[in-house]
Amino acid sequence: MKSNVEINKGLVLKGTSSGLIARIINVGLVVWFNQFLIRRISAEEYSIYPLVLAIMSLLLIIQIAVDNCNSRYITAEYAKGNLDEVKRISSTMIIYNLIICLFLIVIGIFLCWKIDKILTINPLYINSIRIMIAIAMLSLIVNLIISPLKAGIVAKQKYIESNIIEVFVEVFRLIFLCILLFFVSTRVIWIVVATESAKLLGNLACMMISIRSIPALTFSISSVEIKRGYQLLTFGGWTFIGEVANRIRISINPIILNNLATPFDVTSFHIGTLFPRQIHRARIIATNSIFPSLVAMYETRQKERLKNTFLKFGRITIWTYMLIALPLIIYSSDFIKLYIGNQYLRAGPVIILVLINEIPYLGLSMIDELSRALARVKSLTIRSIIILIFNLSITIYLVGFLKMGAIGAALGTLISGAFIRTAIMIPMGLQLTGLDLPTWLNKTVIPGFFPCLPGASIWILLKLLHAPDTWIKLILYGLAGAVVYFIFLIKFSLQPDDRKDLNRIRSYLSSRK
């Protein structure tokens, strides 16, 4: 069966590359500005920002579930050429989203009213956190209503355009934030004001590009279909529950630390997870770029292509993650000293533990998108709940009973993620793809991790000879190990189809000269 959704490695590569470039630019801007804020705002006042992020990240699960539902089914119908069904889905989901927004308004009012009972906060900052939550809730409601109209970005794979918008959004956010901080007052509340204003502009721009790409993405009351809505909400419901579990697991640590530790631990954990979060978001960009192709492969019955894509994506994920994570793990304390000084050295071990947490799971990193593409989110959700239960139990014990603070929260994440998650996700990944364990190990895991030992040896040796005490040294050390890493990757780890893809890229670049 022919697909209207183009399955093209070049298109995926362009989308991923532009997304990673956008993420690198955004990370640079975020890193610089976080340093600026932390040096000028007290730890106690700044600690309310991670709390707002934690609360909103839980509510944003609704947005993610709705977006996933829209992108999955609209992409599937567009791949089969059913434009009438595309219109039916977008119209139906807008009605359902409006109903969801009514519940969100009630939740927002309750949070603003009772926030001083939910969190332990200095009374001086109660009104500030209420305003921050109200602004973030308003932004969420608007974005939820227009969500179905943005699905064309995924179906038409307009990732380059959306990534350019993301960069402009981040630049606008920081310019607006600078204006507020320098000309109004130095208060943490302005972070949310600038962030949500920029996010709203970016979502409206994406909506316009989406509608222009697929004009069938519109609203018509006559196209609303209740039965179709039930199917969509069933998928969205399981996605929502799974995302709740994942978000609680990721976002609950600042709240646990707020209640069982100190504001210093909250800030230390936030700083320590700042870079791992950005790496995680970059990985999400890559998996998002390949999602339309996965849906098209499944809908057009291309099973072998789906298997090979899973194996290849796992290898590439391991290579790219370890290239960034290994030097961060080895130089974590040196990095923190250069970045923020000796005050938050506790963030160093947090970086190490959180980064190590992801390593065993890297070869399975496509499993979330694959489950969505195959409409098998129920199995994924049940596993996510099991992981959450282990994570909460371990973290509360380490932080509440052993008083380990930010390091205890990071260690709880490591134990539940690196061991429990990996153990229960491997069988699911193999089942979804039809692969066997030896094939996955030989074609993904072993070649993926092979360059790590020589690269890490160089980074450790340089640190032992002379620990980096300037940014220049740190960058040069990183580059030295990266050169060795790349040599072993290209010489020993690339598989035959990887070499073919690399030759195609070389040929393409040569033809452009």
Side-chain angles (χ1 to χ4, degrees):
M1 181 190 296
K2 185 179 179 181
S3 170
N4 281 351
V5 175
E6 188 176 357
I7 305 174
N8 185 290
K9 291 180 181 177
L11 195 59
V12 172
L13 180 61
K14 288 177 183 178
T16 302
S17 300
S18 64
L20 293 177
I21 291 169
R23 176 51 49 188
I24 290 169
I25 293 171
N26 290 347
V27 168
L29 295 171
V30 169
V31 166
W32 177 81
F33 222 84
N34 267 276
Q35 182 186 36
F36 171 85
L37 291 169
I38 291 168
R39 291 184 185 277
R40 287 161 178 79
I41 298 175
S42 68
E44 188 175 23
E45 181 179 1
Y46 188 84
S47 69
I48 70 173
Y49 177 56
L51 296 176
V52 173
L53 283 181
I55 293 169
M56 290 311 302
S57 67
L58 295 178
L59 292 175
L60 281 170
I61 297 167
I62 299 171
Q63 177 82 56
I64 293 170
V66 169
D67 286 346
N68 286 346
C69 181
N70 291 328
S71 60
R72 197 278 166 196
Y73 284 100
I74 287 175
T75 300
E77 297 303 332
Y78 183 75
K80 294 183 285 189
N82 297 335
L83 295 182
D84 288 339
E85 196 64 26
V86 169
K87 185 177 180 180
R88 189 172 292 114
I89 292 172
S90 64
S91 299
T92 302
M93 285 306 296
I94 287 174
I95 293 296
Y96 278 98
N97 288 354
L98 286 170
I99 296 171
I100 293 171
C101 287
L102 295 176
F103 288 100
L104 281 177
I105 291 171
V106 175
I107 292 171
I109 292 171
F110 175 79
L111 281 175
C112 291
W113 179 31
K114 293 290 186 180
I115 194 64
D116 56 327
K117 307 295 183 184
I118 299 171
L119 300 175
T120 304
I121 303 170
N122 187 320
L124 290 173
Y125 306 121
I126 292 295
N127 288 334
S128 294
I129 200 169
R130 282 173 174 158
I131 294 170
M132 292 163 77
I133 290 173
I135 293 170
M137 287 292 297
L138 179 62
S139 174
L140 172 61
I141 288 168
V142 174
N143 292 333
L144 194 63
I145 293 170
I146 66 174
S147 172
L149 306 180
K150 297 188 299 177
I153 293 286
V154 177
K156 294 292 288 185
Q157 302 179 71
K158 296 287 185 179
Y159 293 118
I160 295 177
E161 292 89 338
S162 66
N163 291 327
I164 291 172
I165 290 171
E166 183 182 345
V167 173
F168 276 104
V169 162
E170 192 63 33
V171 172
F172 174 83
R173 181 178 83 97
L174 294 183
I175 291 174
F176 189 25
L177 188 52
C178 282
I179 292 171
L180 293 171
L181 290 172
F182 288 118
F183 297 101
V184 182
S185 63
T186 308
R187 295 178 61 195
V188 73
I189 188 174
W190 301 130
I191 303 176
V192 173
V193 173
T195 299
E196 298 305 328
S197 299
K199 191 188 296 183
L200 181 60
L201 291 175
N203 279 308
L204 290 173
C206 287
M207 182 189 71
M208 290 188 286
I209 292 173
S210 173
I211 293 172
R212 192 177 303 159
S213 301
I214 305 179
L217 286 171
T218 185
F219 175 76
S220 172
I221 194 67
S222 60
S223 297
V224 175
E225 187 178 294
I226 302 301
K227 290 183 180 179
R228 184 61 161 162
Y230 176 77
Q231 178 194 12
L232 298 172
L233 287 180
T234 301
F235 178 91
W238 280 112
T239 303
F240 172 76
I241 296 170
E243 284 295 330
V244 167
N246 287 330
R247 283 304 177 105
I248 290 175
R249 180 175 58 84
I250 293 170
S251 305
I252 199 67
N253 287 321
I255 296 174
I256 292 175
L257 291 170
N258 172 256
N259 286 281
L260 301 178
T262 66
F264 181 79
D265 283 301
V266 176
T267 303
S268 295
F269 188 84
H270 177 70
I271 296 169
T273 56
L274 180 63
F275 297 95
R277 281 200 309 271
Q278 300 303 325
I279 296 172
H280 179 70
R281 287 171 186 169
R283 207 172 76 202
I284 289 174
I285 289 170
T287 55
N288 285 344
S289 298
I290 204 170
F291 174 71
S293 298
L294 295 177
V295 174
M297 289 177 202
Y298 175 69
E299 293 293 336
T300 54
R301 307 292 187 267
Q302 300 183 51
K303 294 183 179 179
E304 285 303 313
R305 198 171 186 180
L306 199 62
K307 289 181 183 179
N308 292 331
T309 300
F310 183 82
L311 295 170
K312 178 188 286 289
F313 192 84
R315 287 195 303 270
I316 295 172
T317 301
I318 295 172
W319 290 332
T320 52
Y321 183 89
M322 296 306 292
L323 177 62
I324 300 169
L326 268 179
L328 264 177
I329 290 170
I330 293 167
Y331 297 115
S332 60
S333 59
D334 308 288
F335 178 82
I336 290 296
K337 288 178 185 177
L338 292 170
Y339 177 54
I340 204 66
N342 293 327
Q343 182 183 2
Y344 290 101
L345 285 180
R346 197 179 299 177
V350 173
I351 292 177
I352 295 172
L353 294 171
V354 174
L355 287 173
I356 292 175
N357 160 61
E358 294 292 332
I359 291 175
Y361 189 69
L362 295 174
L364 303 165
S365 58
M366 204 175 77
I367 198 168
D368 288 11
E369 301 300 314
L370 189 61
S371 299
R372 284 174 51 210
L374 274 59
R376 298 279 296 277
V377 292
K378 181 179 178 180
S379 299
L380 182 67
T381 295
I382 293 171
R383 287 165 171 81
S384 297
I385 293 171
I386 294 171
I387 296 165
L388 170 64
I389 293 169
F390 276 99
N391 190 12
L392 276 176
S393 303
I394 296 167
T395 302
I396 291 172
Y397 175 73
L398 293 174
V399 176
F401 291 93
L402 299 187
K403 306 298 180 185
M404 294 180 66
I407 295 174
L411 183 59
T413 300
L414 170 65
I415 294 171
S416 61
F419 300 105
I420 308 299
R421 178 177 61 172
T422 305
I424 65 177
M425 286 300 188
I426 289 176
M428 182 179 177
L430 299 179
Q431 182 185 28
L432 288 175
T433 56
L435 290 164
D436 55 74
L437 183 60
T439 301
W440 178 67
L441 291 174
N442 290 326
K443 293 192 175 182
T444 295
V445 178
I446 295 173
F449 285 107
F450 188 81
C452 295
L453 182 59
S457 300
I458 298 299
W459 285 315
I460 293 171
L461 179 62
L462 290 171
K463 181 180 174 68
L464 293 175
L465 290 174
H466 191 281
D469 51 9
T470 66
W471 284 111
I472 297 297
K473 280 186 182 179
L474 186 62
I475 292 170
L476 290 176
Y477 284 12
L479 291 174
V483 169
V484 175
Y485 186 97
F486 272 117
I487 290 172
F488 276 81
L489 190 160
I490 294 170
K491 188 71 176 176
F492 302 106
S493 289
L494 289 181
Q495 302 297 291
D497 55 332
D498 298 323
R499 298 187 186 280
K500 288 179 183 178
D501 291 339
L502 191 59
N503 289 331
R504 290 193 193 100
I505 293 171
R506 287 172 180 166
S507 300
Y508 174 77
L509 294 175
S510 299
S511 66
R512 301 278 292 183
K513 292 182 180 178

